[in-house]
């Protein structure tokens, strides 16, 4: 999927597909690139998240930009989402360290164990959002949980994007483990620092994906499998 995405993104950025132009049909792209339809659709979704294309039901996929500015996850652009996460989730982690109950810690530890064993990205992403909800619950303030609930869909979309294109799963597991250990220790500062580090890494990976000037365009005959 990454090779297909790199190929299509490069073609758009070079102007092979101009702004306003419709991409070839899925069937044509599958034949040309020698790939399966599920792989192509994942790449097309990523292009749309990056803001390069829009999909119009019954009409196809159209190019709307030739440079990546700010990916969109559900109803929110990445920069807005990250700004809110920093202002909410970092202090929430500190409150959670001070207020967490034994039940909160058991739930987080169990969830983290499951995440570290999980190999399916879709299942892992679902648990990733549950993890952040569980940290908010441990802060013992229902308003915090409501805020995370509001952005839950966007968090899931962002998580899937970062894992598919940035290989974030194992690194995220380590960062989540550091957060849980700080909560177990009851250290507000360590919890704040661990969550801040986690969000820093999210931002870095996202920036790397957005700024990536991919040069690994496929050779004749389609992208490498």
């Amino acid at each position: 999927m990454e090779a297909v995405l790199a190929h299509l993104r490069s073609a758009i950025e070079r102007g092979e597909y101009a702004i306003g132009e419709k991409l070839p049909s899925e069937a044509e792209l599958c034949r040309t690139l020698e790939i399966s339809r599920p792989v192509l659709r994942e790449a097309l979704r990523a292009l749309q998240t990056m803001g390069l294309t829009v999909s119009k039901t019954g009409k196809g996929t159209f190019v709307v930009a030739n440079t990546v500015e700010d990916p969109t996850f559900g109803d929110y652009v990445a920069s807005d989402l990250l700004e809110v996460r920093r202002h909410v989730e970092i202090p929430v982690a500190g409150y959670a360290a001070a207020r967490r109950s034994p039940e909160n810690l058991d739930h987080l530890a169990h969830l983290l164990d499951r995440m570290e064993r999980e190999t399916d990205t879709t299942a892992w992403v679902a648990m990733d959002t549950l993890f952040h909800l569980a940290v908010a619950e441990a802060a013992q303030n229902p308003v915090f949980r409501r805020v995370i609930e509001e952005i839950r869909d966007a968090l899931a979309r962002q998580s899937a994007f970062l894992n598919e294109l940035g290989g974030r799963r194992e690194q995220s597991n380590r960062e989540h483990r550091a957060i849980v250990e700080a909560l177990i220790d009851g250290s507000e500062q360590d919890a704040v620092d661990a969550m801040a580090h986690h969000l820093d890494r999210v931002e870095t990976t996202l920036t790397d994906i957005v700024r990536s000037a991919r040069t690994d365009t496929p050779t004749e005959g389609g992208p490498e499998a």
Side-chain angles (χ1 to χ4, degrees):
M1 190 278 284
E2 290 186 21
V4 177
L5 174 60
H7 171 73
L8 293 174
R9 176 180 176 179
S10 179
I12 291 171
E13 290 175 338
R14 292 197 309 268
E16 291 182 22
Y17 300 117
I19 294 176
E21 185 177 347
K22 178 183 174 182
L23 293 184
S25 68
E26 289 187 6
E28 184 178 347
L29 285 171
C30 286
R31 285 196 303 270
T32 302
L33 302 177
E34 300 179 2
I35 55 173
S36 67
R37 190 158 298 213
V39 169
L40 175 64
R41 286 178 174 170
E42 286 292 325
L44 291 176
R45 278 195 289 270
L47 285 176
Q48 187 164 330
T49 297
M50 288 177 170
L52 296 176
T53 64
V54 294
S55 178
K56 299 180 180 180
T57 303
K59 295 182 179 180
T61 299
F62 294 81
V63 177
V64 294
N66 55 19
T67 57
V68 178
E69 297 295 339
D70 202 355
T72 300
F73 301 108
D75 295 330
Y76 308 110
V77 297
S79 58
D80 289 347
L81 184 63
L82 186 61
E83 182 178 20
V84 168
R85 293 189 69 185
R86 286 190 181 283
H87 282 283
V88 175
E89 292 194 81
I90 292 175
V92 160
Y95 289 128
R99 302 171 180 172
R100 82 287 186 275
S101 68
E103 291 76 18
N104 293 141
L105 295 179
D106 287 345
H107 178 50
L108 280 162
H110 177 65
L111 188 57
L112 186 56
D113 287 342
R114 288 176 59 199
M115 293 176 74
E116 290 176 339
R117 294 193 303 269
E118 185 57 64
T119 58
D120 179 76
T121 297
T122 301
W124 189 93
V125 164
M127 287 186 282
D128 187 22
T129 60
L130 290 176
F131 177 87
H132 287 276
L133 277 170
V135 174
E137 287 177 347
Q140 311 300 334
N141 183 329
V143 179
F144 287 140
R145 191 184 195 285
R146 181 64 62 88
V147 172
I148 303 302
E149 281 280 12
E150 167 61 28
I151 62 174
R152 184 175 181 176
D153 177 67
L155 291 179
R157 291 171 184 264
Q158 183 185 68
S159 180
F161 183 78
L162 294 176
N163 278 282
E164 290 169 358
L165 301 182
R168 277 272 307 158
R169 191 190 310 162
E170 290 187 7
Q171 187 177 16
S172 288
N173 284 338
R174 291 194 294 271
E175 293 158 13
H176 289 162
R177 174 66 66 181
I179 293 169
V180 171
E181 288 176 352
L183 298 190
I184 291 172
D185 292 342
S187 173
E188 296 179 50
Q189 188 59 55
D190 286 350
V192 164
D193 290 344
M195 184 64 79
H197 175 69
H198 177 52
L199 296 182
D200 284 344
R201 298 310 303 164
V202 166
E203 181 177 19
T204 297
T205 304
L206 185 61
T207 300
D208 288 345
I209 293 170
V210 169
R211 292 180 178 174
S212 176
R214 297 186 185 275
T215 58
D216 53 339
T217 51
T219 57
E220 186 176 351
E224 294 181 2

